[in-house]
Amino acid sequence: MAKPIVDVSEFNGILDWDEIKSQIDGAIIRCGYGGNVVSQDDPQYARNVKECTRLKIPFGVYLFSYAKNAAEAENEAEHVLRLVEGWNLSLPIYYDLEQNDVVGNLSAEGYSAVARSFCKRIEAAGGVVGIYSNLYLWETKLKSVNEYTRWLAQWSEAPTYDKPFLLWQYTSSGVIRGSSPRTDLSKWYGDFMTMCGTRNHFGKAPAPQPTLKYKIGDEVSFKALYRASDSKDAITNIAVTHGKITRIIANARNPYLINDGTGWVNDSVITAKGGETANLKVNDNVKVKPGAKDYNGVSLAPFVYQNTYQVQEVKGNRIVIGKDKKVTAAIAADNLIKV
């Protein structure tokens, strides 16, 4: 079941976004009001955006307009573009056109020119833009502005506007834990949550995810282990050289966890997957790699590295080698060389 979209500004106070997250589908955050001056930035904007980003709450922004002509509207668009720089929004940017006593007694032509000037500038910068206004203005001063997604403010049991809109602000006195006692809430429709795609991404492109060679459940052999996913120092004196990947942290230095705690490994220390080196069969001739230890991590006699042995038993990665049917040692498959 869909949850509401909350819109917030400094007047909602310092919000507890951890508490709010479970109650909403997204947020529209006021970035400021009027022209492009720092003193008119919303004091809570930076914190609200950081919190939504941290918690992966879908968000867009809005700016409260005081523009009385197209030039002032374009300057207000620059205000928004300055504040969204460096951030990736998944919901639209909205231009808040309220009422005549805020922006002046403009005609329908004047209102439409203001709206279009702002929206064209945002679109030119790669943004997805819409207009917020009340039912009266949508039906009068903005009735010819049909190019942009609408956010309808109508505090009632049901909307009565007869043109398409994707967001309906139905109350200014909603109750949301973690917010102020009265909070604006809106209902969303259609493809509102996905309509922006990546067009409202004003931050740097996210770092590409590394291409991982292995997945959870793969059995791998390895020549070293790390104590943590971000450790730099490898442990090479290890008894266990084979195990199953049970967790992956894609961007970590050592992304693969072995056996729920044996240690962490990366592609450079993995020597084989599954049975790639365990494809040895009984009676194959092999040599032990110089310096290798037996399957339990015990050092081998120096002469072992000089001799050729026969495979006597194969159990996964554990290979028993010997001569003349006498067992010499059990060795991990990746520590053997087929000859």
Side-chain angles (χ1 to χ4, degrees), residues 132-150:
Y132 167 96
S133 199
N134 57 54
L135 179 64
Y136 169 75
L137 289 178
W138 278 122
E139 292 182 333
T140 57
K141 303 297 181 69
L142 294 169
K143 62 183 179 181
S144 70
V145 182
N146 299 309
E147 312 93 300
Y148 309 104
T149 183
R150 296 182 179 91

Side-chain angles (χ1 to χ4, degrees), residues 181-248:
R182 293 168 56 93
T183 303
D184 294 343
L185 299 178
S186 296
K187 181 177 180 180
W188 61 271
Y189 301 87
D191 65 347
F192 172 74
M193 297 298 296
T194 58
M195 63 181 290
C196 293
T198 58
R199 286 178 57 205
N200 262 359
H201 285 199
F202 296 95
K204 294 180 180 179
Q209 291 288 315
T211 301
L212 297 174
K213 294 175 62 176
Y214 305 100
K215 63 183 185 300
I216 291 175
D218 283 348
E219 292 193 7
V220 293
S221 299
F222 40 86
K223 60 185 179 183
L225 286 167
Y226 296 84
R227 289 189 174 88
S229 61
D230 59 351
S231 296
K232 293 182 179 180
D233 298 326
I235 304 169
T236 55
N237 183 20
I238 56 175
V240 179
T241 59
H242 184 83
K244 182 180 289 186
I245 295 173
T246 56
R247 183 184 174 197
I248 295 176

Side-chain angles (χ1 to χ4, degrees), residues 21 72 100 112 139 190 211 286 297 324:
K21 179 178 179 179
E72 290 180 358
N100 286 350
S112 299
E139 292 182 333
T211 301
V286 294
D324 302 321

Side-chain angles (χ1 to χ4, degrees), residues 20-36:
I20 292 170
K21 179 178 179 179
S22 65
Q23 304 169 72
I24 63 171
D25 279 341
I28 309 294
I29 300 167
R30 191 180 79 155
C31 59
Y33 57 91
N36 187 16

Side-chain angles (χ1 to χ4, degrees), residues 27-297:
I28 309 294
I29 300 167
R30 191 180 79 155
C31 59
Y33 57 91
N36 187 16
V37 292
V38 172
S39 63
Q40 293 178 174
D41 297 352
D42 188 294
Q44 290 298 318
Y45 169 71
R47 180 183 181 275
N48 287 336
V49 168
K50 289 177 182 177
E51 286 292 276
C52 285
T53 300
R54 175 179 70 86
L55 294 167
K56 296 181 173 58
I57 298 172
F59 71 92
V61 304
Y62 77 93
L63 180 125
F64 188 94
S65 175
Y66 284 94
K68 296 179 177 63
N69 55 56
E72 290 180 358
E74 186 168 345
N75 184 255
E76 290 186 336
E78 295 298 336
H79 191 176
V80 174
L81 293 174
R82 171 172 61 81
L83 289 172
V84 298
E85 183 178 359
W87 299 105
N88 293 330
L89 290 61
S90 53
L91 302 180
I93 293 167
Y94 281 100
Y95 197 29
D96 184 346
L97 293 171
E98 291 276 355
Q99 51 196 6
N100 286 350
D101 61 3
V102 173
V103 296
N105 191 22
L106 295 177
S107 65
E109 183 180 3
Y111 253 102
S112 299
V114 165
R116 289 190 172 100
S117 178
F118 177 93
C119 291
K120 286 178 180 178
R121 179 65 188 96
I122 297 296
E123 285 192 327
V128 177
V129 65
I131 299 168
Y132 167 96
S133 199
N134 57 54
L135 179 64
Y136 169 75
L137 289 178
W138 278 122
E139 292 182 333
T140 57
K141 303 297 181 69
L142 294 169
K143 62 183 179 181
S144 70
V145 182
N146 299 309
E147 312 93 300
Y148 309 104
T149 183
R150 296 182 179 91
W151 183 3
L152 169 67
Q154 184 180 3
W155 302 339
S156 59
E157 290 296 322
T160 59
Y161 187 52
D162 61 0
K163 289 186 178 180
F165 53 91
L166 292 181
L167 203 56
W168 166 40
Q169 187 187 78
Y170 57 87
T171 184
S172 64
S173 56
V175 177
I176 293 289
R177 298 185 310 278
S179 182
S180 56
R182 293 168 56 93
T183 303
D184 294 343
L185 299 178
S186 296
K187 181 177 180 180
W188 61 271
Y189 301 87
D191 65 347
F192 172 74
M193 297 298 296
T194 58
M195 63 181 290
C196 293
T198 58
R199 286 178 57 205
N200 262 359
H201 285 199
F202 296 95
K204 294 180 180 179
Q209 291 288 315
T211 301
L212 297 174
K213 294 175 62 176
Y214 305 100
K215 63 183 185 300
I216 291 175
D218 283 348
E219 292 193 7
V220 293
S221 299
F222 40 86
K223 60 185 179 183
L225 286 167
Y226 296 84
R227 289 189 174 88
S229 61
D230 59 351
S231 296
K232 293 182 179 180
D233 298 326
I235 304 169
T236 55
N237 183 20
I238 56 175
V240 179
T241 59
H242 184 83
K244 182 180 289 186
I245 295 173
T246 56
R247 183 184 174 197
I248 295 176
I249 301 177
N251 289 310
R253 187 188 304 273
N254 316 301
Y256 311 111
L257 177 64
I258 300 298
N259 298 340
D260 287 324
T262 298
W264 295 82
V265 298
N266 56 47
D267 289 344
S268 68
V269 300
I270 292 177
T271 57
K273 173 185 174 183
E276 288 177 11
T277 57
N279 59 358
L280 296 169
K281 58 184 183 297
V282 174
N283 294 325
D284 280 347
N285 291 324
V286 294
K287 284 191 171 183
V288 180
K289 292 180 180 179
K293 297 181 179 181
D294 74 7
Y295 197 81
N296 295 314

